[in-house]
Amino acid sequence: RQQETEARLHEAMEHGGELCDTMFALEQRLRAACADDDVVSSLLGNVASLTAERDALAARCARLEGYFVGIEARLTSLQTTVRTDAERKSGLAAHRDELAASLREETETREGAERELASYKRLFGKTTRAL
């Protein structure tokens, strides 16, 4: 019986050794899984951080697009103003040219009238002296 008990004890020890090896392997796998969980948690944290950063960049892009729309509207308005001013300037230049031509005509008419008046004065003077 003692031999039988020793044999059983020996078997139990071998089996216990195998169980220890299995437990050790399981513990190693559990540690690796926990490490993987830590990696996964870290990666999920990175994803959350990157998602927040992406959302912030999207908001910033939307603001910048709004600024560009405003700038384009102001640019269009300024271009319209420049065209209007150029048209008005062109119109004013034409009006100025018309006024200058009219002034020249009036000056010529006045000079002609002055010459004619001078001629009448001379004639009147001669007539007055002749009388």
Side-chain angles (χ1 to χ4, degrees), residues 53-73:
E53 191 173 329
R54 182 206 59 206
D55 292 345
L57 286 172
R60 190 172 181 192
C61 285
R63 265 195 328 273
L64 289 173
E65 285 175 12
Y67 293 151
F68 286 130
V69 167
I71 288 169
E72 286 176 357

Side-chain angles (χ1 to χ4, degrees), residues 71-88:
I71 288 169
E72 286 176 357
R74 284 192 298 243
L75 181 59
T76 300
S77 174
L78 287 172
Q79 287 171 336
T80 301
T81 301
V82 166
R83 274 195 300 275
T84 303
D85 287 351
E87 290 168 1
R88 189 166 20 126

Side-chain angles (χ1 to χ4, degrees), residues 3-48:
Q3 284 180 343
E4 211 176 287
T5 304
E6 285 179 10
R8 279 189 186 165
L9 181 61
H10 185 65
E11 273 180 38
M13 286 176 60
E14 283 180 11
H15 187 63
E18 289 172 7
L19 285 177
C20 283
D21 290 344
T22 303
M23 283 178 54
F24 180 74
L26 287 174
E27 182 182 357
Q28 292 300 324
R29 286 173 61 189
L30 181 60
R31 287 179 194 267
C34 288
D36 287 346
D37 283 349
D38 290 344
V39 169
V40 168
S41 294
S42 175
L43 289 174
L44 288 175
N46 289 345
V47 167

